Amino acid sequence: MTSSSNNDTFPSILELNVGGQLYTTALSTLVKETDSLLGQMFSGSAKTGVQRDSRGRYFIDRDGILFRYILDYLRNSKLVLPENFTEKERLRQEAEFYKLGGLVKAIARDGGAVTQTGRPTLAPINNTPQNHVNSVNANAIGKTPAYITLGYRGTFAFGRDGLADVKFRKVTRILVCGKQMICKEIFGETLNDSRDPDRVHTSDRYSSRYFLKHNYLEQAFDMLAEGGFRFVSCCASGTSTIVGSPESEESKWNHYNEFVFQRS
């Protein structure tokens, strides 16, 4: 990774790599608030140069998913968040990092309280009826309610008397369906989004074209459990074929399974 000098002339249209998420925006947008960190970085007045990744894109080592709201604020001069947005505290931290005082205040007005230090914080969650406990607990730890579906096509072979051979189960690929931002949150760098035409992870877009970079179902299940998901349903289909001669009595089972997980 390289660093550009303060004397660089920035192009009018820039490609950004923010924490692995790619953005294209106008230079005028980034320097709109001249006193902000972005204004300093892309006007050349920052003390240090702007880093570049291996493909020459300007690199910022921050939360790439939340950066979309930073850009939206700079473009529109106002804060617009999705319904049931639960990451205001993290967004506030990003706004403070980028030295966007107006955005910090807007987050406070949008439902946060301001402490004696002037820093907004999320309002406490009130007691709710028992039938809403799951939803409240999810919001309390900053987890958005969601569904994720895992699907995989695989095979396993049986020999004589139904004994499985050493290649008991072969998984060719684990498919992931769900909201883009939630899938990225749960699977991180193990998520392969190269087949999706819209690779900018957002809170309101879904994808059925993701797959994992590994073939370990148990690892995927562990990551879902750690993210607050629980198994709710599944379906399966399959066919059986004879491998080799009929006398071998060895059969190969081809199957496709889907598992549905929910975070309340």
Side-chain angles (χ1 to χ4, degrees):
M1 185 172 294
T2 60
S3 176
S4 62
S5 69
N6 290 348
N7 297 323
D8 278 353
T9 300
F10 294 97
S12 58
I13 304 297
L14 299 91
E15 289 189 346
L16 305 178
N17 177 349
V18 184
Q21 304 301 310
L22 306 182
Y23 293 89
T24 301
T25 189
L27 176 63
S28 58
T29 299
L30 296 177
V31 300
K32 187 173 184 179
E33 295 201 10
T34 56
D35 293 334
S36 70
L37 180 60
L38 290 170
Q40 296 172 18
M41 291 170 63
F42 291 97
S43 66
S45 61
K47 294 181 180 179
T48 59
V50 186
Q51 290 183 315
R52 292 177 180 260
D53 65 13
S54 60
R55 297 190 177 182
R57 295 173 292 224
Y58 296 100
F59 177 76
I60 303 174
D61 190 16
R62 297 297 295 184
D63 190 311
I65 295 175
L66 292 179
F67 188 75
R68 67 168 299 207
Y69 303 110
I70 303 295
L71 271 184
D72 284 347
Y73 173 77
L74 290 173
R75 289 166 176 160
N76 304 313
S77 298
K78 63 180 180 180
L79 174 65
V80 179
L81 295 176
E83 186 178 354
N84 300 322
F85 183 78
T86 60
E87 297 188 286
K88 291 180 183 177
E89 176 62 17
R90 292 182 60 190
L91 182 58
R92 177 195 62 76
Q93 294 177 3
E94 295 302 298
E96 287 191 341
F97 172 80
Y98 291 113
K99 300 180 181 178
L100 293 169
L103 179 55
V104 173
K105 293 178 182 178
I107 295 171
R109 290 194 300 267
D110 195 66
V114 179
T115 65
Q116 292 181 351
T117 62
R119 294 178 60 181
T121 182
L122 293 181
I125 298 175
N126 296 324
N127 293 329
T128 58
Q130 184 64 34
N131 61 336
H132 294 302
V133 167
N134 289 340
S135 178
V136 171
N137 287 341
N139 291 333
I141 59 175
K143 302 297 186 182
T144 304
Y147 284 89
I148 287 180
T149 299
L150 293 187
Y152 80 92
R153 188 181 306 278
T155 61
F156 50 89
F158 290 95
R160 188 180 299 273
D161 298 325
L163 297 178
D165 66 8
V166 292
K167 296 180 180 179
F168 172 67
R169 182 180 66 188
K170 180 180 180 181
V171 178
T172 56
R173 178 167 288 179
I174 301 175
L175 307 176
V176 180
C177 306
K179 273 191 175 182
Q180 292 179 328
M181 189 171 73
I182 301 298
C183 293
K184 187 66 176 178
E185 170 198 331
I186 296 300
F187 297 109
E189 295 303 315
T190 67
L191 187 70
N192 191 324
D193 60 1
S194 61
R195 296 193 307 172
D196 199 288
D198 183 0
R199 297 178 61 185
V200 178
H201 304 284
T202 66
S203 62
D204 56 354
R205 290 184 181 272
Y206 290 81
S207 177
S208 60
R209 301 178 64 85
Y210 291 159
F211 60 93
L212 298 183
K213 297 177 182 178
H214 62 79
N215 293 330
Y216 302 106
L217 277 171
E218 291 75 14
Q219 180 179 346
F221 293 162
D222 284 344
M223 297 176 80
L224 284 162
E226 291 170 0
F229 282 82
R230 62 186 180 89
F231 170 75
V232 293
S233 183
C234 68
C235 63
S237 63
T239 58
S240 179
T241 58
I242 299 296
V243 180
S245 62
E247 292 77 14
S248 67
E249 297 185 6
E250 182 177 306
S251 61
K252 183 178 181 181
W253 184 262
N254 299 298
H255 59 100
Y256 178 77
N257 294 337
E258 283 192 348
F259 302 92
V260 180
F261 293 83
Q262 178 189 22
R263 186 166 67 187
S264 302

